[in-house]
């Protein structure tokens, strides 16, 4: 993974000093709350219901074991002994004291981490495929360009006060595991007809109250020209994006209003100027960053690995876990393990400091010291030898993270909702917990097959409900928590936005309603191999509406 | 649960220094415990609370200052579920919840 | 009102001219863009210096013909979150090659001044109680940057290049 050089360290240290000084000025009252808010948000510091929340960036979801330990120690020392991994591959702490933030940032800086631009109307943490570097289907490790974008976008002098937040996601493969078309800019590594590697650029996707699947704006940008192209994309947005209405300020609205073709034209017009400004990366620097993502020293292992085959045959639960939680590795004899942060009845994405320490130890012993965060709020050990999988599974069982449910109905995304979030209409976590309990039977989960439930506590859609096969949205109905169901969303390369089924359900009825939807699917699918989303796309919403609301 | 109609209101905010959820008390201090909040029973008293809140915000003591509804049950019973959760903590972490009155020493 | 540049307070020769006030001789005046468009002939022939105030919604193409004769361009922040100002600064410098004084005014805070300098601004019109100490401190916050901008300040990539063992690295 990328390792800071002295210049990265200098900038990070200078940032800690700058923000510490801003905190001090706030505490003395030199800065008012109105002046401080944008500054603290640019450092990922929110005020939630119970305390400040600090969002720490995990660039493109990659962590070293040392960083995981630091995150655990911060949870213990400055928070209430746990953290929440988010859909944007960040970690959030929920009980932070403003006066301690400078200290926390200094601790983070010591392990090459920060909270830069994890909120605010600036360029946010770049997310990428959690299987970057280990997936057999990728053209190039998406973390290379993600790190280049991270550096370029850090303290960008022109783009730190955009009309609204700005999110990048990168995938290195045609199979999109990073939901790139739901981002302000989605980047896909592609090859052109000449066989050169470059980037396809999608602009103007997003969720929130106006979900949009991003259109393709530029099919191919050469490797060393991407930054100037992005700078042109951002400048057109910065100048012309709406600032009069916060709900219309995202780039998706600008692209929609101008039309993708006209937006693309304006970007092309701006591009020569940003090219001349000298932001593009030199080949030598590109090569320097690329080198950090060279494959680690894998062993040559012949498949099949006898002990692994044997363990699967002997232990059914292990075999089930391998089926759902171990992703094929590009190197023979290895697997990429997804650690489910979705124990039955648990809080999706939460991990205690003890659990984080155990995971860091596993990474050191079995995964070349690396951990990844997924946009489905799980963690990944990317480089586990097949011969070690059984031991990893057992240890994960001891810390409660061996649920064999990745991609299944209990692998639920849930935002913090009204238990923590000051913008929420309704709670998300208890709904996730109850659904998880309802579908706890693992055999039944396997019968149901791939099915993604995603829950947001309000229209901001932090829980990606628009992209859920089954989406659940919390609404406030005369002071009561109500939940609407959407069906048919998808966040992968077949991205689509879910359709609202009908009136919402009260808290005590939502689990039963989802169960009905699932049963309806089981009844109407043509074969067990027809997944929920495939069946939905074949039959549409009507049968599900009828089962929930009766025939009209 | 039907919403009880009531004019009763209390003043709340979060401490600037540490973000803690606090309530303005009859003793004129900010307490973490909702049951200690001073209850305004008339619009005039509610206005007075709002003024106190604005002054405390201007003095950089508290942020996110609001006058909120409580049920006739008293200060310990905010009318809206959001405020109930704010007062006592996340419903999904009973171990982290806080009482509505100060713990007995 | 006071005017500061990166080194602190400076003497300011410019005065604002209301749209209905007569053009004084031998004075340097800042006028609205509307007045500049309507009266540029008399303004440039009468006043000792002419400047203009623009806002984030400006059409720079319309301003272009006057640029060589302007002594200052004042760009107003509608609110502190009005990030258009940064792009306008860069466009004026990099596309239109404007080279005289460029000044920010409005609700910005000291912490934004550093980025404004990077985007080509040279001075700031601020309230009398502007926290100069914080301003100076924030200007000194960073010794280098990740990306090149209008100011052509030394970037991390420049430093890395200088630092690289010569001849190595392809
Ligand atoms: C708890 C405090 C949080 C607050 C106050 C908050 C606030 C917001 C707001 C206001 C939006 C809508 C932005 C817009 O439509 O322009 C949003 C969107 C989003 N947030 Fe959060 N959020 C929070 C937590 C989270 C968490 C925990 C996650 C990850 C699980 C998350 C991930 C996202 C994502 C993915 C979006 C959708 C992005 C899009 O619209 O394109 N947020 N958030
Ligand atoms: S979706 Fe709404 S409730 Fe959930 S975290 Fe985002 S802002 Fe809060």
């Amino acid at each position: 993974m990328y390792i800071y050089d002295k210049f990265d360290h200098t900038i990070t240290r200078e940032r800690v000093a700058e923000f510490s000084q801003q905190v001090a000025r706030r505490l003395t009252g030199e800065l008012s709350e109105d002046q401080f808010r944008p500054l603290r948000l640019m450092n990922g510091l929110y005020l939630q219901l119970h305390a400040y929340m600090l969002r720490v960036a995990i660039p493109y979801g990659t962590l070293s074991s040392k960083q995981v330990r630091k995150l655990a120690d911060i949870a213990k020392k400055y928070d209430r002994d746990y953290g929440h991994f988010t859909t944007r591959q960040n970690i959030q702490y929920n009980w932070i004291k403003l006066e301690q933030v400078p200290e926390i940032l200094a601790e983070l800086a010591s392990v090459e981490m920060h909270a830069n631009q994890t909120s605010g109307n600036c360029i946010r943490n770049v997310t990428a495929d959690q299987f970057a570097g280990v997936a057999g289907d990728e053209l190039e490790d998406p973390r290379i360009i993600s790190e280049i974008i991270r550096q370029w976008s850090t303290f960008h002098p022109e783009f730190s006060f955009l009309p609204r937040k700005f999110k990048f996601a990168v995938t290195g493969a045609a199979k999109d595991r990073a939901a790139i078309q739901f981002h302000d800019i989605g980047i896909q590594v592609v090859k052109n007809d000449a066989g050169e590697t470059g980037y396809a650029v999608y602009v103007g996707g997003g969720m929130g109250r106006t979900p949009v699947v991003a259109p393709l704006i530029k099919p191919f940008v050469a490797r060393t020209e991407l930054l100037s192209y992005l700078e042109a994309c951002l400048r057109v947005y910065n100048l012309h994006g709406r600032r009069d209405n916060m709900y219309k300020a995202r780039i998706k609205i600008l692209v929609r209003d101008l039309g993708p073709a006209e937006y693309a034209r304006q970007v092309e017009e701006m591009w020569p100027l940003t090219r001349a400004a000298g932001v593009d990366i030199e080949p030598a620097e590109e090569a320097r960053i690329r080198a950090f993502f060279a494959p680690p020293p894998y062993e040559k292992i012949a498949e099949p690995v006898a002990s692994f085959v044997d363990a699967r045959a002997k232990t059914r639960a292990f075999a089930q876990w391998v089926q759902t939680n171990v992703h094929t590795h590009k190197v023979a004899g290895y697997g990429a393990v997804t650690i489910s942060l979705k124990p039955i009845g648990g809080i999706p994405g939460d991990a205690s400091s003890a659990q984080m320490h155990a995971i860091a130890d596993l990474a050191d012993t079995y995964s070349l010291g690396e951990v990844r965060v997924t946009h489905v709020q799980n963690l990944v050990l990317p480089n586990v030898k097949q011969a070690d999988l059984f031991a990893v599974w057992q240890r994960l069982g001891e810390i409660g993270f061996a649920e064999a449910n990745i991609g299944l109905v209990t692998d639920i995304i849930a935002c913090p909702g009204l238990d923590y979030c000051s913008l929420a209409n309704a709670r998300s976590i208890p709904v996730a917990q109850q659904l998880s309990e309802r579908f706890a039977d693992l055999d039944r989960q396997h019968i149901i097959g791939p099915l993604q439930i995603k829950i947001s506590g309000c229209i901001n859609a932090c829980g990606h409900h628009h992209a859920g096969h089954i989406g659940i949205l919390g609404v406030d109905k005369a002071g009561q928590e109500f939940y609407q169901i959407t069906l048919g969303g998808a966040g992968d390369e077949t991205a689509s936005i879910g359709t609202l089924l009908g009136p919402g359900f009260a808290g005590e009825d939502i689990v039963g309603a989802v169960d009905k939807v699932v049963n309806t699917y089981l009844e109407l699918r043509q074969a067990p191999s027809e997944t929920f989303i495939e069946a939905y796309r074949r039959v549409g919403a009507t049968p599900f509406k009828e089962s929930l609301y009766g025939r009209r | 649960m039907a919403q009880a109609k009531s004019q009763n209101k209390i003043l709340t905010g979060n401490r600037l220094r540490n973000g803690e959820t606090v309530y303005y008390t009859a003793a004129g201090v900010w307490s973490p415990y909702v049951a200690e909040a001073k209850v305004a029973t008339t619009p005039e008293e509610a206005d007075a609370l709002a003024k106190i809140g604005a002054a405390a915000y201007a003095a950089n003591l508290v942020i996110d200052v609001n006058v909120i509804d409580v049920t006739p049950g008293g200060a310990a019973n905010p009318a809206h579920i959001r405020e109930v959760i704010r007062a006592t903590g996340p419903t999904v972490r009973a171990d982290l919840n806080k009482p509505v009155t100060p713990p007995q020493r | 009102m006071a005017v500061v540049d990166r080194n602190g307070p400076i003497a300011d020769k410019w005065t604002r001219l209301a749209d209905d006030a007569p053009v004084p001789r031998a004075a340097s005046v800042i006028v609205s863009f509307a007045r500049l468009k309507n009266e540029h002939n008399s303004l440039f022939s009468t006043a000792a210096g002419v400047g203009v105030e623009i806002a984030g919604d400006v059409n720079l193409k319309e301003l272009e013909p006057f640029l060589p004769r302007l002594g200052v361009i004042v760009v107003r922040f509608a609110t502190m979150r009005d990030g258009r100002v940064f792009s306008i600064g860069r466009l004026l410098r990099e596309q239109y090659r404007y080279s005289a004084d460029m000044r920010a005014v409005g609700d910005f805070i000291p912490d934004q001044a550093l980025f404004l300098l990077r985007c080509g601004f040279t001075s700031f019109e601020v309230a009398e109680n502007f926290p100069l100490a914080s301003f100076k401190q924030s200007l000194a916050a960073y010794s280098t940057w990740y990306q090149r901008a209008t100011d052509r300040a030394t970037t991390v990539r420049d430093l890395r290049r200088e630092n690289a063992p010569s001849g190595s690295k392809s």
Side-chain angles (χ1 to χ4, degrees), chain A residues 186 446 539:
Chain A
H446 278 264
V539 302

Side-chain angles (χ1 to χ4, degrees), chain C residues 31-83:
Chain C
V31 298
S32 70
F33 191 18
R35 183 156 188 189
L36 179 68
K37 276 188 275 192
N38 292 334
E39 300 175 31
H40 51 93
N41 283 335
S42 65
L43 279 166
F44 285 120
S45 59
T46 315
V50 178
V52 66
E53 179 175 316
I54 57 176
D57 57 2
V58 64
N59 179 348
L60 291 178
K61 279 251 167 311
E62 288 183 19
L63 186 61
E64 188 173 11
F66 311 113
L67 290 176
R69 287 181 290 169
L70 290 173
V72 63
I73 298 178
V74 180
V75 190
R76 180 168 289 277
F77 275 83
T79 72
M80 119 176 216
R81 300 167 45 161
D82 187 0

Side-chain angles (χ1 to χ4, degrees), chain A residues 77-88:
Chain A
K77 188 165 168 197
Y78 301 99
D79 204 87
R80 303 203 174 173
D81 210 22
Y82 69 106
H84 177 73
F85 290 95
T86 78
T87 54
R88 297 217 72 257

